[in-house]
Amino acid sequence: MYDCIIVGAGPGGLQAAIYLGRFNRDVLLIDRGGGRTAHAKSIENFLTQKAISGKELIERGLEQARGFNVRIEKGLVTSIVKKEYFEIAAGDVLYRSRFVIVSSGVNDNFPRIDNLHTFLGTSFFTCVDCDGYKTTGKKLAIIGNTIESVRLALAMKEMYTDDITLVLYFYDPPGDYKEELKDQGIRLVKGEPVRVLGEERIEAVELNDGSRIPCEAVLSNFGFKLNDHFLKDLDLKRDAKGFKISVNNVNESSVHGLYIVGPLNTGNDQVVIAAGEGAVAAIDINKRLFDF
Ligand SMILES: Cc1cc2nc3c(=O)[nH]c(=O)nc-3n(C[C@H](O)[C@H](O)[C@H](O)COP(=O)(O)OP(=O)(O)OC[C@H]3O[C@@H](n4cnc5c(N)ncnc54)[C@H](O)[C@@H]3O)c2cc1C
């Protein structure tokens, strides 16, 4: 029986583990490996870290959590069931815990484009808050297929670069948006990108008709999916779209004792936000443990 089991060793789960470890609680952190933070080559917007890779941030966090006696297991959590306590299944093992923090993050929806992983996090980007700044003054291709992609192109023009090509698969923007793109000097191309070209750096995106769009950076705009399949047995409230999981001001979900931190809830997908939410959840759980 643990005081708290944490699912996911990203910034959210690690920060919660460090707090609960320092309250001398019995904590188990379960992580399957991989995750979004592992793809971040250079995080530049985290206080006091001029630049740190996601991998290093996680390695340092794991070491710090171990130092406060947090038990860390590698494993894929497949289900969580609420009885008097929580039962958490990972592989053949069933764990029991009084509280649970879920910090399993999200996964990008990637377009099917050859070679994109070579440049992911260095010049192929999916998140403006994370990497928009790195496109400053660059020749940029934005790939998407919705009105959001059009709005993103206009925002990128305002914030980062004048040299933008917007590639839409088949979506046809309303006339006033087309006018605005034209006025802003943003090139609009219809087609399906199939390959990123370049060895050390991105040189172009190739479309399925063989045409090439010269660029130095690519911003992909296809959203993300939640890593939440193991929560299917729980009656969790979601937002109006039935997508993100609703939480209260200490990040507790509609399931009593189960906390959700990071991008799975209504927050943004940022290291500092996930970590802050992890700390808030951990402090609240620690207070409630006095009543057990
Ligand atoms: C290319 C890239 C660049 C980025 N750059 C920045 C940046 O500059 N600044 C910034 O603030 N953020 C950046 N991010 C976002 C950031 O890395 C995290 O996504 C964010 O901090 C959320 O953290 P998290 O702890 O909620 O989730 P994650 O970091 O995604 O961690 C979730 C963990 O849970 C594990 N997991 C998932 N499901 C299960 C399961 N069923 N069982 C066990 N384990 C499971 C995953 O394997 C993973 O280790 C970037 C992301 C990417 C992809």
Short mmCIF file of all heavy atoms in Angstrom, two decimals, residues 69-131:
data_model
loop_
_atom_site.label_atom_id
_atom_site.label_comp_id
_atom_site.label_asym_id
_atom_site.label_seq_id
_atom_site.Cartn_x
_atom_site.Cartn_y
_atom_site.Cartn_z
N ASN A 69 14.02 9.03 -1.60
CA ASN A 69 13.44 7.69 -1.35
C ASN A 69 12.17 7.39 -2.13
O ASN A 69 11.34 6.60 -1.68
CB ASN A 69 13.21 7.45 0.14
CG ASN A 69 14.51 7.50 0.90
OD1 ASN A 69 15.51 6.94 0.43
ND2 ASN A 69 14.54 8.19 2.03
N VAL A 70 11.99 8.05 -3.25
CA VAL A 70 10.86 7.69 -4.12
C VAL A 70 11.24 6.39 -4.84
O VAL A 70 12.35 6.29 -5.37
CB VAL A 70 10.60 8.81 -5.16
CG1 VAL A 70 9.57 8.37 -6.18
CG2 VAL A 70 10.16 10.09 -4.44
N ARG A 71 10.32 5.42 -4.83
CA ARG A 71 10.59 4.17 -5.56
C ARG A 71 10.19 4.39 -7.03
O ARG A 71 9.11 4.93 -7.31
CB ARG A 71 9.77 3.04 -4.94
CG ARG A 71 10.11 1.70 -5.54
CD ARG A 71 9.41 0.60 -4.76
NE ARG A 71 9.30 -0.57 -5.63
CZ ARG A 71 8.50 -1.58 -5.42
NH1 ARG A 71 7.71 -1.59 -4.36
NH2 ARG A 71 8.46 -2.60 -6.26
N ILE A 72 11.07 3.99 -7.92
CA ILE A 72 10.79 4.22 -9.35
C ILE A 72 10.81 2.89 -10.08
O ILE A 72 11.76 2.11 -9.97
CB ILE A 72 11.83 5.19 -9.93
CG1 ILE A 72 11.70 6.55 -9.22
CG2 ILE A 72 11.64 5.35 -11.44
CD1 ILE A 72 12.85 7.49 -9.43
N GLU A 73 9.71 2.59 -10.79
CA GLU A 73 9.59 1.33 -11.53
C GLU A 73 9.35 1.63 -13.00
O GLU A 73 8.58 2.54 -13.33
CB GLU A 73 8.37 0.53 -11.04
CG GLU A 73 8.46 0.04 -9.62
CD GLU A 73 9.27 -1.24 -9.49
OE1 GLU A 73 9.61 -1.85 -10.53
OE2 GLU A 73 9.57 -1.61 -8.34
N LYS A 74 9.99 0.84 -13.86
CA LYS A 74 9.68 0.96 -15.29
C LYS A 74 8.49 0.05 -15.58
O LYS A 74 8.50 -1.12 -15.20
CB LYS A 74 10.89 0.55 -16.13
CG LYS A 74 10.64 0.76 -17.59
CD LYS A 74 11.89 0.94 -18.38
CE LYS A 74 11.47 1.33 -19.79
NZ LYS A 74 12.53 1.61 -20.67
N GLY A 75 7.46 0.57 -16.21
CA GLY A 75 6.29 -0.26 -16.50
C GLY A 75 5.20 0.54 -17.17
O GLY A 75 5.16 1.76 -17.06
N LEU A 76 4.34 -0.17 -17.88
CA LEU A 76 3.21 0.46 -18.56
C LEU A 76 1.96 0.25 -17.71
O LEU A 76 1.55 -0.89 -17.47
CB LEU A 76 3.03 -0.17 -19.95
CG LEU A 76 1.81 0.29 -20.73
CD1 LEU A 76 2.02 1.71 -21.25
CD2 LEU A 76 1.53 -0.65 -21.89
N VAL A 77 1.39 1.33 -17.24
CA VAL A 77 0.14 1.23 -16.48
C VAL A 77 -1.00 0.95 -17.45
O VAL A 77 -1.19 1.67 -18.43
CB VAL A 77 -0.11 2.52 -15.66
CG1 VAL A 77 -1.48 2.49 -15.01
CG2 VAL A 77 0.98 2.70 -14.61
N THR A 78 -1.75 -0.13 -17.19
CA THR A 78 -2.81 -0.51 -18.13
C THR A 78 -4.21 -0.24 -17.59
O THR A 78 -5.16 -0.14 -18.37
CB THR A 78 -2.69 -2.00 -18.50
OG1 THR A 78 -2.51 -2.74 -17.29
CG2 THR A 78 -1.50 -2.24 -19.43
N SER A 79 -4.34 -0.15 -16.26
CA SER A 79 -5.67 0.22 -15.73
C SER A 79 -5.56 0.78 -14.31
O SER A 79 -4.61 0.46 -13.58
CB SER A 79 -6.62 -0.98 -15.75
OG SER A 79 -6.37 -1.81 -14.65
N ILE A 80 -6.52 1.62 -13.98
CA ILE A 80 -6.65 2.12 -12.61
C ILE A 80 -8.11 1.92 -12.22
O ILE A 80 -9.02 2.33 -12.95
CB ILE A 80 -6.28 3.62 -12.50
CG1 ILE A 80 -4.81 3.82 -12.90
CG2 ILE A 80 -6.52 4.13 -11.08
CD1 ILE A 80 -4.31 5.25 -12.78
N VAL A 81 -8.30 1.26 -11.09
CA VAL A 81 -9.66 1.00 -10.61
C VAL A 81 -9.80 1.61 -9.22
O VAL A 81 -8.88 1.53 -8.41
CB VAL A 81 -9.94 -0.53 -10.56
CG1 VAL A 81 -11.30 -0.80 -9.97
CG2 VAL A 81 -9.81 -1.13 -11.95
N LYS A 82 -10.94 2.24 -8.98
CA LYS A 82 -11.17 2.84 -7.65
C LYS A 82 -12.05 1.91 -6.82
O LYS A 82 -13.17 1.59 -7.20
CB LYS A 82 -11.85 4.21 -7.83
CG LYS A 82 -12.32 4.86 -6.56
CD LYS A 82 -11.37 5.93 -6.10
CE LYS A 82 -11.50 6.24 -4.63
NZ LYS A 82 -12.20 7.42 -4.29
N LYS A 83 -11.47 1.44 -5.70
CA LYS A 83 -12.29 0.68 -4.72
C LYS A 83 -12.23 1.51 -3.45
O LYS A 83 -12.33 2.72 -3.53
CB LYS A 83 -11.70 -0.71 -4.55
CG LYS A 83 -11.71 -1.49 -5.85
CD LYS A 83 -11.32 -2.92 -5.68
CE LYS A 83 -11.52 -3.65 -6.99
NZ LYS A 83 -10.88 -4.95 -6.99
N GLU A 84 -12.01 0.87 -2.31
CA GLU A 84 -11.77 1.66 -1.11
C GLU A 84 -10.48 2.45 -1.31
O GLU A 84 -10.33 3.59 -0.89
CB GLU A 84 -11.69 0.74 0.11
CG GLU A 84 -11.74 1.48 1.41
CD GLU A 84 -11.51 0.54 2.59
OE1 GLU A 84 -11.61 -0.69 2.43
OE2 GLU A 84 -11.19 1.07 3.66
N TYR A 85 -9.51 1.77 -1.94
CA TYR A 85 -8.26 2.39 -2.36
C TYR A 85 -8.18 2.28 -3.88
O TYR A 85 -9.08 1.74 -4.51
CB TYR A 85 -7.07 1.65 -1.72
CG TYR A 85 -7.11 1.67 -0.22
CD1 TYR A 85 -7.49 0.54 0.49
CD2 TYR A 85 -6.78 2.83 0.47
CE1 TYR A 85 -7.54 0.56 1.88
CE2 TYR A 85 -6.83 2.87 1.85
CZ TYR A 85 -7.21 1.73 2.56
OH TYR A 85 -7.26 1.77 3.92
N PHE A 86 -7.09 2.78 -4.44
CA PHE A 86 -6.90 2.62 -5.89
C PHE A 86 -6.11 1.35 -6.16
O PHE A 86 -5.18 1.01 -5.41
CB PHE A 86 -6.11 3.81 -6.46
CG PHE A 86 -6.91 5.08 -6.50
CD1 PHE A 86 -6.81 6.03 -5.51
CD2 PHE A 86 -7.78 5.32 -7.57
CE1 PHE A 86 -7.56 7.19 -5.55
CE2 PHE A 86 -8.53 6.49 -7.62
CZ PHE A 86 -8.42 7.43 -6.60
N GLU A 87 -6.49 0.66 -7.22
CA GLU A 87 -5.69 -0.48 -7.70
C GLU A 87 -5.14 -0.11 -9.06
O GLU A 87 -5.88 0.24 -9.98
CB GLU A 87 -6.56 -1.73 -7.81
CG GLU A 87 -6.78 -2.39 -6.48
CD GLU A 87 -7.53 -3.72 -6.59
OE1 GLU A 87 -7.90 -4.12 -7.73
OE2 GLU A 87 -7.74 -4.34 -5.54
N ILE A 88 -3.82 -0.20 -9.15
CA ILE A 88 -3.14 0.23 -10.37
C ILE A 88 -2.43 -0.99 -10.97
O ILE A 88 -1.58 -1.60 -10.32
CB ILE A 88 -2.11 1.34 -10.05
CG1 ILE A 88 -2.85 2.61 -9.60
CG2 ILE A 88 -1.24 1.70 -11.26
CD1 ILE A 88 -2.78 2.85 -8.16
N ALA A 89 -2.81 -1.33 -12.21
CA ALA A 89 -2.20 -2.50 -12.85
C ALA A 89 -1.10 -2.05 -13.81
O ALA A 89 -1.30 -1.17 -14.64
CB ALA A 89 -3.26 -3.29 -13.61
N ALA A 90 0.07 -2.68 -13.66
CA ALA A 90 1.19 -2.44 -14.59
C ALA A 90 1.81 -3.80 -14.90
O ALA A 90 2.40 -4.41 -14.01
CB ALA A 90 2.22 -1.50 -13.97
N GLY A 91 1.61 -4.27 -16.13
CA GLY A 91 2.05 -5.63 -16.46
C GLY A 91 1.31 -6.63 -15.60
O GLY A 91 0.09 -6.54 -15.45
N ASP A 92 2.06 -7.54 -14.98
CA ASP A 92 1.42 -8.57 -14.14
C ASP A 92 1.25 -8.10 -12.70
O ASP A 92 0.74 -8.83 -11.86
CB ASP A 92 2.31 -9.83 -14.07
CG ASP A 92 2.47 -10.43 -15.45
OD1 ASP A 92 1.59 -10.16 -16.29
OD2 ASP A 92 3.46 -11.15 -15.67
N VAL A 93 1.71 -6.91 -12.41
CA VAL A 93 1.73 -6.46 -11.02
C VAL A 93 0.54 -5.55 -10.72
O VAL A 93 0.18 -4.69 -11.54
CB VAL A 93 3.05 -5.69 -10.72
CG1 VAL A 93 3.19 -5.46 -9.21
CG2 VAL A 93 4.25 -6.43 -11.25
N LEU A 94 -0.05 -5.77 -9.55
CA LEU A 94 -1.15 -4.91 -9.11
C LEU A 94 -0.70 -4.15 -7.86
O LEU A 94 -0.32 -4.76 -6.86
CB LEU A 94 -2.36 -5.80 -8.78
CG LEU A 94 -3.72 -5.11 -8.72
CD1 LEU A 94 -4.09 -4.51 -10.06
CD2 LEU A 94 -4.79 -6.10 -8.28
N TYR A 95 -0.72 -2.84 -7.96
CA TYR A 95 -0.30 -2.01 -6.82
C TYR A 95 -1.53 -1.39 -6.17
O TYR A 95 -2.55 -1.20 -6.83
CB TYR A 95 0.61 -0.87 -7.29
CG TYR A 95 1.87 -1.30 -7.97
CD1 TYR A 95 1.96 -1.35 -9.36
CD2 TYR A 95 3.01 -1.63 -7.23
CE1 TYR A 95 3.13 -1.73 -10.00
CE2 TYR A 95 4.18 -2.01 -7.85
CZ TYR A 95 4.24 -2.05 -9.24
OH TYR A 95 5.40 -2.42 -9.86
N ARG A 96 -1.40 -1.04 -4.87
CA ARG A 96 -2.49 -0.36 -4.17
C ARG A 96 -1.98 0.97 -3.62
O ARG A 96 -0.84 1.07 -3.18
CB ARG A 96 -3.01 -1.22 -3.03
CG ARG A 96 -3.69 -2.48 -3.53
CD ARG A 96 -4.06 -3.38 -2.36
NE ARG A 96 -5.26 -2.92 -1.69
CZ ARG A 96 -5.50 -3.13 -0.40
NH1 ARG A 96 -4.62 -3.73 0.35
NH2 ARG A 96 -6.62 -2.71 0.13
N SER A 97 -2.86 1.96 -3.66
CA SER A 97 -2.44 3.28 -3.21
C SER A 97 -3.64 4.08 -2.69
O SER A 97 -4.77 3.88 -3.14
CB SER A 97 -1.79 4.02 -4.37
OG SER A 97 -1.29 5.26 -3.94
N ARG A 98 -3.35 4.99 -1.76
CA ARG A 98 -4.42 5.85 -1.24
C ARG A 98 -4.77 6.97 -2.24
O ARG A 98 -5.91 7.33 -2.41
CB ARG A 98 -3.99 6.48 0.09
CG ARG A 98 -3.76 5.45 1.17
CD ARG A 98 -3.38 6.11 2.50
NE ARG A 98 -3.33 5.09 3.53
CZ ARG A 98 -2.22 4.43 3.88
NH1 ARG A 98 -1.08 4.72 3.32
NH2 ARG A 98 -2.26 3.49 4.80
N PHE A 99 -3.73 7.51 -2.87
CA PHE A 99 -3.93 8.58 -3.84
C PHE A 99 -3.17 8.25 -5.14
O PHE A 99 -2.20 7.48 -5.11
CB PHE A 99 -3.40 9.92 -3.29
CG PHE A 99 -4.22 10.46 -2.15
CD1 PHE A 99 -3.87 10.20 -0.84
CD2 PHE A 99 -5.37 11.20 -2.40
CE1 PHE A 99 -4.64 10.68 0.22
CE2 PHE A 99 -6.13 11.70 -1.36
CZ PHE A 99 -5.77 11.43 -0.04
N VAL A 100 -3.62 8.88 -6.21
CA VAL A 100 -2.95 8.69 -7.50
C VAL A 100 -2.75 10.06 -8.16
O VAL A 100 -3.66 10.90 -8.12
CB VAL A 100 -3.79 7.80 -8.45
CG1 VAL A 100 -3.18 7.74 -9.84
CG2 VAL A 100 -3.91 6.38 -7.89
N ILE A 101 -1.58 10.25 -8.73
CA ILE A 101 -1.37 11.42 -9.60
C ILE A 101 -1.07 10.89 -11.00
O ILE A 101 -0.14 10.10 -11.19
CB ILE A 101 -0.19 12.30 -9.12
CG1 ILE A 101 -0.48 12.86 -7.73
CG2 ILE A 101 0.07 13.43 -10.11
CD1 ILE A 101 0.66 13.70 -7.14
N VAL A 102 -1.87 11.33 -11.96
CA VAL A 102 -1.64 10.93 -13.35
C VAL A 102 -0.96 12.08 -14.07
O VAL A 102 -1.47 13.18 -14.14
CB VAL A 102 -2.98 10.58 -14.05
CG1 VAL A 102 -2.75 10.31 -15.53
CG2 VAL A 102 -3.62 9.37 -13.37
N SER A 103 0.23 11.79 -14.59
CA SER A 103 0.99 12.79 -15.34
C SER A 103 1.57 12.12 -16.58
O SER A 103 2.77 12.15 -16.83
CB SER A 103 2.11 13.36 -14.46
OG SER A 103 2.80 14.36 -15.16
N SER A 104 0.66 11.47 -17.33
CA SER A 104 1.11 10.63 -18.46
C SER A 104 1.24 11.41 -19.76
O SER A 104 1.64 10.84 -20.78
CB SER A 104 0.16 9.44 -18.61
OG SER A 104 -1.17 9.89 -18.64
N GLY A 105 0.89 12.68 -19.77
CA GLY A 105 1.17 13.54 -20.91
C GLY A 105 0.37 13.21 -22.16
O GLY A 105 -0.64 12.51 -22.13
N VAL A 106 0.84 13.76 -23.26
CA VAL A 106 0.15 13.61 -24.55
C VAL A 106 1.16 13.16 -25.61
O VAL A 106 2.36 13.17 -25.37
CB VAL A 106 -0.49 14.95 -24.98
CG1 VAL A 106 -1.53 15.40 -23.97
CG2 VAL A 106 0.56 16.05 -25.18
N ASN A 107 0.62 12.77 -26.75
CA ASN A 107 1.47 12.43 -27.90
C ASN A 107 1.07 13.25 -29.10
O ASN A 107 -0.14 13.37 -29.38
CB ASN A 107 1.30 10.95 -28.26
CG ASN A 107 2.41 10.12 -27.67
OD1 ASN A 107 3.51 10.60 -27.46
ND2 ASN A 107 2.10 8.86 -27.39
N ASP A 108 2.04 13.81 -29.80
CA ASP A 108 1.71 14.61 -30.99
C ASP A 108 1.06 13.75 -32.06
O ASP A 108 1.42 12.59 -32.25
CB ASP A 108 3.00 15.19 -31.58
CG ASP A 108 3.57 16.29 -30.72
OD1 ASP A 108 2.88 17.31 -30.54
OD2 ASP A 108 4.69 16.12 -30.21
N ASN A 109 0.10 14.34 -32.78
CA ASN A 109 -0.38 13.72 -34.03
C ASN A 109 0.57 14.16 -35.13
O ASN A 109 0.56 15.33 -35.52
CB ASN A 109 -1.79 14.21 -34.37
CG ASN A 109 -2.81 13.75 -33.36
OD1 ASN A 109 -2.73 12.63 -32.86
ND2 ASN A 109 -3.77 14.61 -33.05
N PHE A 110 1.41 13.25 -35.59
CA PHE A 110 2.36 13.62 -36.64
C PHE A 110 1.78 13.33 -38.02
O PHE A 110 1.15 12.28 -38.22
CB PHE A 110 3.65 12.80 -36.50
CG PHE A 110 4.49 13.23 -35.32
CD1 PHE A 110 4.72 12.36 -34.28
CD2 PHE A 110 5.05 14.49 -35.27
CE1 PHE A 110 5.49 12.74 -33.19
CE2 PHE A 110 5.82 14.89 -34.18
CZ PHE A 110 6.04 14.00 -33.15
N PRO A 111 2.02 14.21 -38.98
CA PRO A 111 1.65 13.87 -40.36
C PRO A 111 2.58 12.78 -40.86
O PRO A 111 3.67 12.61 -40.32
CB PRO A 111 1.89 15.19 -41.12
CG PRO A 111 2.86 15.94 -40.29
CD PRO A 111 2.67 15.51 -38.87
N ARG A 112 2.13 12.01 -41.88
CA ARG A 112 3.02 10.95 -42.40
C ARG A 112 4.02 11.57 -43.37
O ARG A 112 3.72 11.78 -44.54
CB ARG A 112 2.19 9.88 -43.11
CG ARG A 112 1.88 8.76 -42.15
CD ARG A 112 1.45 7.52 -42.86
NE ARG A 112 0.05 7.28 -42.55
CZ ARG A 112 -0.80 6.70 -43.34
NH1 ARG A 112 -0.44 6.29 -44.54
NH2 ARG A 112 -2.05 6.50 -42.96
N ILE A 113 5.19 11.93 -42.83
CA ILE A 113 6.22 12.59 -43.63
C ILE A 113 7.55 11.91 -43.35
O ILE A 113 7.96 11.82 -42.18
CB ILE A 113 6.32 14.09 -43.26
CG1 ILE A 113 5.01 14.81 -43.54
CG2 ILE A 113 7.46 14.76 -44.00
CD1 ILE A 113 5.03 16.30 -43.22
N ASP A 114 8.22 11.43 -44.40
CA ASP A 114 9.52 10.77 -44.22
C ASP A 114 10.52 11.76 -43.64
O ASP A 114 10.54 12.94 -44.02
CB ASP A 114 10.09 10.29 -45.59
CG ASP A 114 9.28 9.14 -46.13
OD1 ASP A 114 8.44 8.60 -45.38
OD2 ASP A 114 9.47 8.79 -47.31
N ASN A 115 11.36 11.25 -42.76
CA ASN A 115 12.51 12.02 -42.28
C ASN A 115 12.19 13.06 -41.22
O ASN A 115 13.10 13.75 -40.77
CB ASN A 115 13.20 12.73 -43.47
CG ASN A 115 14.69 12.79 -43.30
OD1 ASN A 115 15.23 12.05 -42.48
ND2 ASN A 115 15.37 13.66 -44.03
N LEU A 116 10.93 13.19 -40.82
CA LEU A 116 10.63 14.29 -39.89
C LEU A 116 11.30 14.10 -38.54
O LEU A 116 11.72 15.06 -37.89
CB LEU A 116 9.12 14.54 -39.76
CG LEU A 116 8.20 13.69 -38.87
CD1 LEU A 116 8.29 14.06 -37.41
CD2 LEU A 116 6.78 13.87 -39.34
N HIS A 117 11.45 12.81 -38.09
CA HIS A 117 12.03 12.58 -36.77
C HIS A 117 13.51 12.96 -36.69
O HIS A 117 14.01 13.23 -35.61
CB HIS A 117 11.79 11.13 -36.32
CG HIS A 117 10.36 10.92 -35.91
ND1 HIS A 117 9.90 11.25 -34.65
CD2 HIS A 117 9.28 10.49 -36.60
CE1 HIS A 117 8.60 11.01 -34.58
NE2 HIS A 117 8.20 10.55 -35.75
N THR A 118 14.18 13.00 -37.86
CA THR A 118 15.58 13.45 -37.87
C THR A 118 15.68 14.88 -37.34
O THR A 118 16.67 15.25 -36.71
CB THR A 118 16.12 13.44 -39.33
OG1 THR A 118 15.81 12.18 -39.89
CG2 THR A 118 17.61 13.69 -39.39
N PHE A 119 14.66 15.67 -37.62
CA PHE A 119 14.74 17.10 -37.29
C PHE A 119 13.82 17.51 -36.14
O PHE A 119 13.78 18.69 -35.77
CB PHE A 119 14.38 17.93 -38.54
CG PHE A 119 15.30 17.65 -39.69
CD1 PHE A 119 14.89 16.88 -40.77
CD2 PHE A 119 16.60 18.14 -39.68
CE1 PHE A 119 15.76 16.62 -41.82
CE2 PHE A 119 17.47 17.89 -40.72
CZ PHE A 119 17.04 17.13 -41.79
N LEU A 120 13.09 16.53 -35.58
CA LEU A 120 12.13 16.85 -34.52
C LEU A 120 12.83 17.51 -33.32
O LEU A 120 13.78 16.96 -32.76
CB LEU A 120 11.39 15.58 -34.07
CG LEU A 120 10.32 15.78 -33.02
CD1 LEU A 120 9.20 16.67 -33.54
CD2 LEU A 120 9.75 14.44 -32.56
N GLY A 121 12.37 18.68 -32.97
CA GLY A 121 12.92 19.38 -31.81
C GLY A 121 14.07 20.31 -32.15
O GLY A 121 14.46 21.13 -31.33
N THR A 122 14.65 20.16 -33.36
CA THR A 122 15.71 21.09 -33.76
C THR A 122 15.22 22.06 -34.84
O THR A 122 15.47 23.25 -34.77
CB THR A 122 16.96 20.37 -34.29
OG1 THR A 122 16.56 19.46 -35.32
CG2 THR A 122 17.69 19.63 -33.19
N SER A 123 14.51 21.55 -35.85
CA SER A 123 13.95 22.46 -36.85
C SER A 123 12.59 21.97 -37.38
O SER A 123 11.99 22.64 -38.22
CB SER A 123 14.93 22.67 -38.00
OG SER A 123 15.47 21.45 -38.42
N PHE A 124 12.12 20.83 -36.89
CA PHE A 124 10.73 20.40 -37.16
C PHE A 124 10.01 20.50 -35.82
O PHE A 124 10.34 19.80 -34.87
CB PHE A 124 10.70 18.96 -37.68
CG PHE A 124 9.34 18.55 -38.19
CD1 PHE A 124 9.09 18.46 -39.56
CD2 PHE A 124 8.30 18.27 -37.32
CE1 PHE A 124 7.83 18.10 -40.03
CE2 PHE A 124 7.04 17.92 -37.78
CZ PHE A 124 6.81 17.82 -39.14
N PHE A 125 9.03 21.40 -35.77
CA PHE A 125 8.41 21.72 -34.49
C PHE A 125 6.90 21.42 -34.51
O PHE A 125 6.28 21.40 -35.58
CB PHE A 125 8.61 23.20 -34.16
CG PHE A 125 10.06 23.62 -34.16
CD1 PHE A 125 10.52 24.60 -35.04
CD2 PHE A 125 10.96 23.03 -33.29
CE1 PHE A 125 11.86 25.00 -35.04
CE2 PHE A 125 12.30 23.42 -33.28
CZ PHE A 125 12.75 24.40 -34.16
N THR A 126 6.33 21.24 -33.30
CA THR A 126 4.89 21.01 -33.20
C THR A 126 4.22 21.97 -32.22
O THR A 126 3.00 21.96 -32.11
CB THR A 126 4.61 19.56 -32.71
OG1 THR A 126 5.28 19.38 -31.47
CG2 THR A 126 5.10 18.52 -33.71
N CYS A 127 5.04 22.74 -31.49
CA CYS A 127 4.47 23.53 -30.38
C CYS A 127 5.03 24.95 -30.40
O CYS A 127 6.24 25.14 -30.27
CB CYS A 127 4.83 22.81 -29.08
SG CYS A 127 4.71 23.79 -27.58
N VAL A 128 4.14 25.91 -30.59
CA VAL A 128 4.57 27.31 -30.68
C VAL A 128 5.12 27.81 -29.35
O VAL A 128 6.17 28.46 -29.30
CB VAL A 128 3.40 28.23 -31.11
CG1 VAL A 128 3.84 29.67 -31.16
CG2 VAL A 128 2.87 27.80 -32.45
N ASP A 129 4.42 27.49 -28.25
CA ASP A 129 4.89 27.96 -26.93
C ASP A 129 6.30 27.45 -26.66
O ASP A 129 7.10 28.12 -26.01
CB ASP A 129 3.96 27.47 -25.81
CG ASP A 129 2.57 28.06 -25.94
OD1 ASP A 129 2.43 29.11 -26.59
OD2 ASP A 129 1.62 27.47 -25.40
N CYS A 130 6.58 26.21 -27.12
CA CYS A 130 7.90 25.61 -26.87
C CYS A 130 8.94 26.19 -27.82
O CYS A 130 9.99 26.65 -27.39
CB CYS A 130 7.87 24.10 -27.12
SG CYS A 130 6.60 23.22 -26.22
N ASP A 131 8.67 26.15 -29.10
CA ASP A 131 9.73 26.33 -30.10
C ASP A 131 9.50 27.44 -31.11
O ASP A 131 10.33 27.65 -31.98
CB ASP A 131 9.93 25.00 -30.86
CG ASP A 131 10.48 23.91 -29.95
OD1 ASP A 131 11.36 24.22 -29.13
OD2 ASP A 131 10.03 22.76 -30.06
#
